[in-house]
Amino acid sequence: MLRDGVFDRRRQRLVDKMRENGINDERVLAAIGSVHRHRFVEGAFRPRAYEDEALPIGMKQTISQPFTVAYQTMLLNPRPGDRILEIGTGSGYQAAVLCEMGARVFSIERHRPLLARTRSILESLGYRVVLRAGDGTLGWAAQAPFDGIVVTAGASEAPEALLQQLRIEGEDDKPAGRLVIPVGDHRAQTMNLYRRLGEDDYERTASRNFKFVPLIGKQGGL
Ligand code: SAM
C-alpha cells in the first residue's frame, strides 16, 4: 500500500503540471493541492490517482481528468459563500474541490448506487455537500438562484432550466450567475461559459474541446 507521503508528493507534482498546462488561478491550484483524489477512486486505481487522466468509478462512469476539473472550476470562478450546483456528482471529487474554495455546494447524480457511495466518502472526509439523486438537467429550482452551475457530462445544448436558475447580474449586488457546460456530440464537446446578464439575456463564450461521458436527461441530454 502506498503511504500518505507518496500521495502528497504526487499531488504536488500534479499541481505543478496543471500550472504548466495553463491553469493560472492560484485558488484553483490550492484546491487541487488540498483534495486527496486517491480517496475518491477505488483501491486498484489509487496508484494512478495523481496522473492527469480520467479513471473508472463504476456504472460506466468516470472521475474527470484533473485538468478538466481545474479548467471548469477556473471558468466557474467560485467565491467563498457562493451557491454552486454541480450536475453529475460522480465520485464527489469536483464537489470537494468546490468545497475547498469555500463554496456552498449542491450536487445531483442520476445513479443512486454511485451517489450512496460518494455520500459516505464525502462525509468521511468532512466535506459538506447537499446531495440529491435525480435528473440534473432540470436543475434544483427550490435551491435557486445559483451563483454558478457546473455540468460534468457532455450535453447537446444548455438546458433551459439551468439557465433560468442562474442569478441575474446585480441581484443582491452580486455578479452574474455562470453556467459552465460542455456542449457537442458523442465524439467531442466544446466548453461553454454562460453569464446571465438579464432575465433572458445571456453572454456565451466557447473555449476548448473535451470528451465527457454523456449527459442523460430530459433537457440537453446526448
Ligand atoms: N463530477 C464528477 C467527479 O468529480 O467525479 C465526474 C462525473 S462523470 C464525468 C459524469 C456524471 O454525470 C456521471 O456520474 C453520470 O452518472 C452523471 N450524469 C449524467 N447525466 C446526468 C443527469 N441528467 N443528472 C445527474 N447526473 C448525471
Side-chain angles (χ1 to χ4, degrees):
M1 206 167 75
L2 292 170
R3 297 157 68 106
D4 280 353
V6 174
F7 287 128
D8 291 347
R9 283 192 293 280
R10 289 183 182 179
R11 194 161 52 251
Q12 186 50 51
R13 279 204 297 273
L14 177 64
V15 171
D16 295 342
K17 186 165 184 190
M18 296 295 99
R19 203 190 297 276
E20 282 161 24
N21 289 347
I23 304 299
N24 56 15
D25 182 331
E26 290 302 324
R27 296 177 317 121
V28 174
L29 292 167
I32 298 285
S34 299
V35 179
H36 289 194
R37 190 170 187 256
H38 63 280
R39 300 291 296 272
F40 293 86
V41 294
E42 298 210 295
F45 296 108
R46 288 207 172 142
R48 286 161 58 189
Y50 296 101
E51 301 297 321
D52 190 18
E53 60 180 349
L55 293 168
I57 55 171
M59 312 215 61
K60 297 194 181 151
Q61 304 305 322
T62 54
I63 180 173
S64 299
Q65 190 181 341
F67 178 79
T68 307
V69 173
Y71 189 85
Q72 287 197 283
T73 309
M74 199 163 71
L75 289 184
L76 192 65
N77 193 17
R79 296 278 151 190
D82 273 3
R83 296 170 69 81
I84 302 291
L85 174 65
E86 176 193 27
I87 309 304
T89 317
S91 70
Y93 177 71
Q94 168 79 75
V97 167
L98 295 168
C99 286
E100 287 286 348
M101 295 179 73
R104 294 179 59 192
V105 186
F106 302 79
S107 186
I108 306 176
E109 169 58 50
R110 63 184 286 272
H111 284 301
R112 281 177 191 275
L114 204 51
L115 191 69
R117 191 175 73 204
T118 296
R119 188 188 295 280
S120 71
I121 293 171
L122 286 168
E123 280 176 7
S124 72
L125 295 173
Y127 291 115
R128 291 179 57 187
V129 180
V130 189
L131 296 168
R132 207 186 83 186
D135 178 3
T137 66
L138 304 176
W140 198 333
Q143 299 288 359
F146 295 101
D147 298 293
I149 301 179
V150 57
V151 179
T152 68
S156 59
E157 61 180 353
E160 191 57 32
L162 298 185
L163 289 167
Q164 288 289 322
Q165 290 176 28
L166 293 175
R167 186 186 298 287
I168 297 173
E169 184 171 42
E171 219 177 32
D172 293 329
D173 287 332
K174 289 193 153 189
R178 288 86 61 199
L179 169 65
V180 176
I181 181 168
V183 176
D185 56 26
H186 280 275
R187 284 162 302 173
Q189 304 92 35
T190 304
M191 198 61 73
N192 278 262
L193 168 65
Y194 288 83
R195 293 174 62 242
R196 190 174 187 194
L197 306 178
E199 183 60 40
D200 286 311
D201 183 10
Y202 299 90
E203 174 197 83
R204 184 178 73 90
T205 315
S207 51
R208 53 193 290 168
N209 282 354
F210 291 84
K211 177 153 174 40
F212 283 78
V213 294
L215 184 71
I216 296 169
K218 288 211 172 78
Q219 293 187 21
L222 259 187

